[in-house]
Amino acid sequence: MKINRILSIAAIIVSCIFASCEKHKDEPKVEEDITNVTLIYAVNHNNLASDFIYNRSQMLKAASSLNMGTDRVLIYSYEKGECTLKEMRISSAGIAEFVTVRNYEKNVLSTTPDRIAEVMDYIVKTYPTADKTLYLWGHGMGPVNPYKYSHLPADGSQKSPLRDSNDGLLYSFGGEYIDDFTGTMDYIDLDQLADAIPSGIFRTIWFDCCYMGSIETAYQLRDKCRFFVAYPTEIYETGLPYDMVLPLTAGTNPQLDKAAIELYNFYNSKSYAVTVSVIDLSKINKFADSLKDYVSRLDKKPVFTNVINYSRLSMPRPNSFIKHPYYDLIGWLGNGLDGSPALKDSFNELKKAYDEMMVYTAAGKQDFSHNEIDPDAYFGISVYPYYNDNSQRDNYYHKLDWWNDVACHYGWL
């Protein structure tokens, strides 16, 4: 009886200990004295793993330019079979390092809405008063991924030759291996990514990946941040030079235009292809209204002649079903002008709203296919060329806010 009582008491004590641990895990310590937080959410369990190792070393180099008393830099990433959240700290020896502050279940992919929301929730609760910047690191396919959403019928009566057997995978951002054997990658759709990010929390969201510099992406995230930074084209594997960029974005007075210039100069000075755009999303609703007014007046779809195509996803490939350009939005719409004074006035209002919305944009002399970029034809925002053909790609496009608020008003539909 006494032994049972002792065992019962011991069990209660152990239960309390574990309950305390669980509570500690679920309720992060609040740090109200931190004024600036940068989160790099990296989907790096893929063929870009070595590039992220290099980027992480660049981030540590930036530590000497940061105020480690009030600034925090954290990375969520996959490393040695584990998903962790690490915080940049200065060791007792004065060396910058990343220290694990949170572990996550490794059987949940980093591209799932639940995992993204889980990491965001920790950041929000730990740093409730800090200004926050989010970098999204990984593969990007733009608003509509052609490897899942092709020109084939939306009813699924035909399968694309590149579609793998797992039709449940999500596609737009990420690219995480679902296992260590097949090489199959999982992405998250744009609408689901936006839903996983809390509204009104981040000052800036910067996509350090390919093809996310589209009007559809920016508009889908309009309530998620004030400033949006992305690339209409691809970006080389190592992406941002973080040692140059973090000191300009992680402090009290972020200088996004200068950070974008650093990226541009880093690649353009080597004659590498590069594009980058910084957009003030507080101005995007006015831009959307102006664009809606203009396109509603068009009874013919503007042609794509002499319009920049930012995408190599439409280049000739063995599987010829892939036809997935992303065109320059303003350059394309400008081809709709027909001499009508009212239409010209509407387009001028559109251009005015565009100028107010764009903080900075730049492009190198050539694109990733070595085609010359005409600076007069470059405006730095891409658009998906809605086909109106009852295809898989158009069927998915109907889920996006840009379609439902703006593109559905195209006058030629």
Side-chain angles (χ1 to χ4, degrees):
M1 186 71 174
K2 185 177 180 181
I3 294 176
N4 288 340
R5 186 177 297 172
I6 293 173
L7 290 175
S8 298
I9 293 172
I12 292 172
I13 293 172
V14 171
S15 296
C16 290
I17 291 173
F18 278 110
S20 176
C21 290
E22 287 300 315
K23 184 177 181 181
H24 176 74
K25 179 181 178 181
D26 294 337
E27 297 180 10
K29 179 183 176 181
V30 177
E31 297 190 40
E32 294 185 348
D33 56 334
I34 301 303
T35 57
N36 300 283
V37 172
T38 299
L39 170 64
I40 298 97
Y41 189 96
V43 182
N44 66 312
H45 184 209
N46 51 35
N47 57 341
L48 300 177
S50 61
D51 297 308
F52 186 70
I53 293 173
Y54 175 70
N55 282 160
R56 189 173 58 191
S57 68
Q58 291 178 314
M59 296 171 198
L60 292 173
K61 287 181 181 179
S64 60
S65 301
L66 302 177
N67 183 344
M68 301 303 288
T70 58
D71 301 340
R72 288 289 182 270
V73 176
L74 300 102
I75 56 172
Y76 168 86
S77 62
Y78 177 95
E79 183 180 3
K80 298 178 181 179
E82 295 183 338
C83 294
T84 61
L85 185 66
K86 296 179 184 289
E87 180 184 303
M88 183 188 292
R89 294 178 183 173
I90 304 299
S91 71
S92 58
I95 299 173
E97 60 184 358
F98 279 109
V99 177
T100 299
V101 295
R102 199 82 165 170
N103 292 293
Y104 295 91
E105 294 291 337
K106 62 181 179 180
N107 61 344
V108 179
L109 293 176
S110 301
T111 46
T112 59
D114 288 347
R115 173 51 52 83
I116 295 171
E118 183 182 11
V119 175
M120 302 298 161
D121 183 66
Y122 175 85
I123 296 297
V124 171
K125 289 180 178 178
T126 306
Y127 310 102
T129 60
D131 287 333
K132 301 174 184 68
T133 296
L134 171 64
Y135 286 91
L136 291 167
W137 192 104
H139 283 293
M141 286 289 182
V144 185
N145 185 314
Y147 295 100
K148 181 177 183 181
Y149 304 115
S150 73
H151 74 285
L152 297 174
D155 61 10
S157 58
Q158 294 177 257
K159 295 290 185 181
S160 69
L162 291 189
R163 179 79 66 84
D164 59 51
S165 60
N166 192 339
D167 287 347
L169 298 184
L170 309 175
Y171 288 78
S172 181
F173 162 75
E176 180 169 62
Y177 288 145
I178 64 172
D179 55 41
D180 294 323
F181 312 104
T182 64
T184 301
M185 293 183 186
D186 183 40
Y187 293 69
I188 183 169
D189 276 345
L190 174 58
D191 60 313
Q192 294 185 327
L193 173 62
D195 288 344
I197 299 173
S199 298
I201 296 300
F202 292 100
R203 175 178 59 195
T204 303
I205 295 178
W206 189 315
F207 278 92
D208 192 19
C209 50
C210 303
Y211 294 130
M212 300 308 285
S214 71
I215 189 60
E216 295 91 351
T217 307
Y219 192 75
Q220 198 76 27
L221 297 175
R222 66 196 182 282
D223 298 325
K224 308 300 178 178
C225 59
R226 169 69 186 275
F227 297 103
F228 170 86
V229 189
Y231 322 131
T233 60
E234 296 162 270
I235 185 74
Y236 281 101
E237 290 94 336
T238 52
L240 276 171
Y242 283 91
D243 52 334
M244 301 177 186
V245 170
L246 277 184
L248 296 170
T249 64
T252 303
N253 298 306
Q255 302 174 73
L256 294 176
D257 53 344
K258 291 185 178 181
I261 290 171
E262 288 287 354
L263 168 68
Y264 171 75
N265 288 337
F266 180 78
Y267 287 107
N268 192 56
S269 63
K270 303 173 184 178
S271 298
Y272 289 170
V274 60
T275 59
V276 60
S277 293
V278 183
I279 299 175
D280 183 349
L281 293 187
S282 71
K283 312 287 187 179
I284 201 169
N285 286 331
K286 180 180 178 181
F287 174 76
D289 289 341
S290 298
L291 191 146
K292 183 164 61 176
D293 176 78
Y294 175 72
V295 298
S296 66
R297 298 170 183 267
L298 301 177
D299 56 7
K300 294 182 180 179
K301 185 176 183 178
V303 298
F304 294 105
T305 305
N306 298 323
V307 178
I308 295 175
N309 174 15
Y310 293 112
S311 172
R312 289 200 302 167
L313 296 173
S314 60
M315 297 299 105
R317 295 170 183 261
N319 303 93
S320 59
F321 80 97
I322 298 178
K323 180 184 179 184
H324 204 76
Y326 290 129
Y327 289 107
D328 188 277
L329 173 62
I330 302 299
W332 170 54
L333 293 178
N335 282 346
L337 292 170
D338 60 3
S340 164
L343 193 61
K344 182 178 180 181
D345 289 344
S346 180
F347 186 73
N348 287 339
E349 287 299 313
L350 170 62
K351 286 287 298 298
K352 181 179 178 181
Y354 161 85
D355 290 336
E356 293 174 358
M357 180 180 70
M358 295 297 292
V359 177
Y360 174 82
T361 188
K365 295 180 180 180
Q366 293 184 332
D367 65 15
F368 281 80
S369 298
H370 306 293
N371 298 313
E372 184 176 349
I373 293 179
D374 181 356
D376 293 330
Y378 172 83
F379 293 92
I381 310 177
S382 70
V383 66
Y384 166 78
Y386 182 72
Y387 295 96
N388 195 27
D389 59 1
N390 193 35
S391 62
Q392 296 168 3
R393 58 193 175 193
D394 282 0
N395 189 53
Y396 171 72
Y397 197 68
H398 293 163
K399 295 182 179 181
L400 300 180
D401 289 352
W402 182 254
W403 164 260
N404 289 290
D405 293 350
V406 182
C408 67
H409 296 281
Y410 287 160
W412 60 86
L413 295 179

